[in-house]
Amino acid sequence: MSVKYLNKALGYKRSWEKDFADLSLKDIDKMPARGMYQGTVWQYRWFVPFDVSGLKKLTGGEVSFLKQLDLFFAEDNYNHANQPDLQVPGLYNSSSQPWKSQKLFRNIMLDTVVQAYFNENSKGVDSYIGRIYKNEPQAYVRTMDDDAGTMSSWFVMRSIGLSPANIGSPIYYLTAPIFESVKLNWENGKSFHIKVSNYNKDHFYIQSVRLNGQALFRNWLTQEEITNGGTLIIETGALPNKNWGIEDQWISKMGLLTD
C-alpha cells in the first residue's frame, strides 16, 4: 500500500509540467488563472513541500531552482496574506543558499515588504507597502487569511528560530530568533533553551550554532532533539556566513519522496 500511495503522490509531476513549468505564459501572475484558488500559478508552483528534491529536478536543477526563487521574490510575487505560497521563503533552507531564508524570515516578520495582492489590480486592490505584522489591534495586511491561526503561528515559530520543513515531518530548520533568549518547557519536565550570541536587532544571519556544547553544522533539528531538552546557542551577525548550513541537507540526508 505504501508504494501505491507513494506513486500517487509523485503524480503531481505530470500536473506540474503541464501547468507550472512555463514561466513565459502571460497569466502566470494573475489571480485566478487556470483554476488557481486564492493564488497565482507563480505562487502554487512551489507547493510541493513533501518532495523538494523532485521539485528541484523539475525546475532544471539547483542553479535553475535558485534563479527562479530569486525571480519570484525580486518581482514581489510572494503574498503572505494567504496560504498557497506560505512555505516559499523557507525553500532556500533546502538549497546551497540558506542565508536567503534567514533574511526573508526577518523581513517578513519585522520589516517593510511589498505585497502585490492581485496582478494589474484585477480585483481592484492596490499593492501594499509596509509591515505585515504590527504591534496593534489591526495587525495584519489587508485581506490576510489567518485560518486557524496559520499566519500567527508562522510568526511565532520563526520568531523563536524554528521553521517546520514540512508539516507532519519532525524536522525544523533553524533561523535567527528575534529574542535574545527563549525557553520551551515540556510536560516531561525538560526544557529547551534557545540563546542568541552576539545579539543585535539587526543581526539575522546565522554565523554558527552549538547544541549542548557541540558545534552544529547542519541547519536543522529534529523534534526528538528539541523535546529531549538542552541548550541551543545561535551566533548571529550582520553579514551571512555562506559556509554554514549548506552541508548535510535534510532533503538528501533524511530523504523526501524520490523517483
Side-chain angles (χ1 to χ4, degrees), residues 15-237:
S15 296
W16 197 94
E17 290 175 329
K18 173 180 177 290
D19 290 319
F20 299 94
D22 191 349
L23 292 173
S24 66
L25 300 178
K26 294 182 179 180
D27 66 347
I28 195 166
D29 60 349
K30 292 179 181 289
M31 182 191 301
R34 288 181 252 169
M36 299 294 100
Y37 178 69
Q38 294 186 355
T40 66
V41 174
W42 244 129
Q43 293 161 359
Y44 267 105
R45 76 191 305 264
W46 308 105
F47 202 10
V48 193
F50 57 88
D51 189 23
V52 178
S53 58
L55 180 60
K56 283 186 179 182
K57 292 177 182 178
L58 288 172
T59 60
E62 175 84 2
V63 173
S64 179
F65 176 76
L66 288 169
K67 286 183 178 179
Q68 291 178 34
L69 266 181
D70 289 345
L71 181 63
F72 177 73
F73 288 104
E75 293 185 347
D76 298 319
N77 288 309
Y78 177 68
N79 181 8
H80 197 78
N82 208 348
Q83 287 85 12
D85 59 352
L86 200 60
Q87 85 287 354
V88 185
L91 285 179
Y92 288 106
N93 279 317
S94 59
S95 78
S96 58
Q97 299 178 348
W99 61 88
K100 290 184 177 179
S101 282
Q102 297 164 24
K103 184 178 189 300
L104 281 167
F105 285 162
R106 183 58 61 93
N107 287 349
I108 295 168
M109 284 192 291
L110 301 179
D111 295 334
T112 297
V113 296
V114 177
Q115 293 286 272
Y117 296 109
F118 306 100
N119 185 55
E120 299 176 351
N121 288 328
S122 60
K123 292 289 185 178
V125 181
D126 293 328
S127 296
Y128 167 84
I129 302 176
R131 293 188 177 186
I132 294 175
Y133 296 98
K134 299 181 286 290
N135 188 22
E136 56 189 57
Q138 189 62 37
Y140 299 141
V141 295
R142 181 178 178 182
T143 78
M144 179 174 270
D145 185 4
D146 191 29
D147 283 352
T150 301
M151 304 302 179
S152 306
S153 61
W154 189 99
F155 180 93
V156 171
M157 289 297 295
R158 282 136 192 94
S159 73
I160 65 175
L162 301 175
S163 172
N166 175 36
I167 302 302
S169 299
I171 299 291
Y172 302 85
Y173 285 119
L174 296 173
T175 189
I178 63 175
F179 306 105
E180 189 170 2
S181 179
V182 177
K183 193 173 185 180
L184 307 176
N185 297 315
W186 307 122
E187 292 182 355
N188 60 11
K190 296 181 180 180
S191 62
F192 190 68
H193 200 173
I194 304 172
K195 299 180 180 179
V196 178
S197 172
N198 194 34
Y199 179 82
N200 184 292
K201 68 180 182 63
D202 296 322
H203 290 178
F204 48 80
Y205 289 116
I206 296 178
Q207 305 300 301
S208 65
V209 175
R210 298 186 71 84
L211 176 62
N212 298 325
Q214 299 296 316
L216 191 70
F217 299 103
R218 52 181 160 91
N219 66 336
W220 50 270
L221 293 177
T222 66
Q223 175 76 20
E224 184 179 15
E225 286 173 323
I226 297 172
T227 55
N228 280 342
T231 301
L232 183 75
I233 299 177
I234 301 176
E235 179 188 5
T236 60

Side-chain angles (χ1 to χ4, degrees), residues 165-166 169 171 173 219-220 248-256:
N166 175 36
S169 299
I171 299 291
Y173 285 119
N219 66 336
W220 50 270
D248 203 14
Q249 287 283 341
W250 176 56
I251 60 171
S252 59
K253 184 71 174 179
M254 304 299 290
L256 292 180

